[in-house]
């Protein structure tokens, strides 16, 4: 068996980043979204989206992440 971390695996992040590449290809010209909303659990999806934003040079804004439910210490 192989352990694949859910939040810090390069291949996983690139897979999630492909969503941003698809959005980039579908928008006309220099248009870019004002925001991208997604669910957040362990951080893998959010990390992939940030990876994609950097790849298409949309990384000039901030990133707000709010978990639906968090663990209490």
């Amino acid at each position: 068996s192989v352990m694949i971390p859910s939040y810090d695996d390069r291949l996983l992040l690139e897979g999630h980043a492909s969503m941003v590449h698809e959005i980039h290809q579908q928008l006309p010209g220099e248009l870019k979204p004002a925001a991208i909303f997604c669910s957040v659990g362990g951080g893998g999806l959010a990390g992939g989206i940030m990876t994609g934003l950097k790849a298409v040079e949309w990384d000039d804004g901030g990133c707000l992440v709010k978990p639906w439910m968090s663990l209490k210490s």
Side-chain angles (χ1 to χ4, degrees), residues 6-67:
S6 61
Y7 60 91
D8 65 352
D9 181 75
R10 183 180 175 100
L11 189 58
L12 184 96
L13 294 177
E14 289 175 5
H16 293 322
S18 68
M19 293 185 292
V20 177
H21 292 283
E22 288 181 31
I23 294 168
H24 184 257
Q25 291 171 353
Q26 292 177 17
L27 288 176
E30 296 296 316
L31 264 175
K32 68 179 183 178
I36 295 176
F37 295 89
C38 71
S39 61
V40 176
L45 181 59
I49 288 175
M50 289 185 271
T51 299
L53 291 173
K54 186 173 183 176
V56 298
E57 298 179 355
W58 286 350
D59 59 339
D60 56 347
C63 179
L64 173 67
V65 176
K66 171 122 175 50

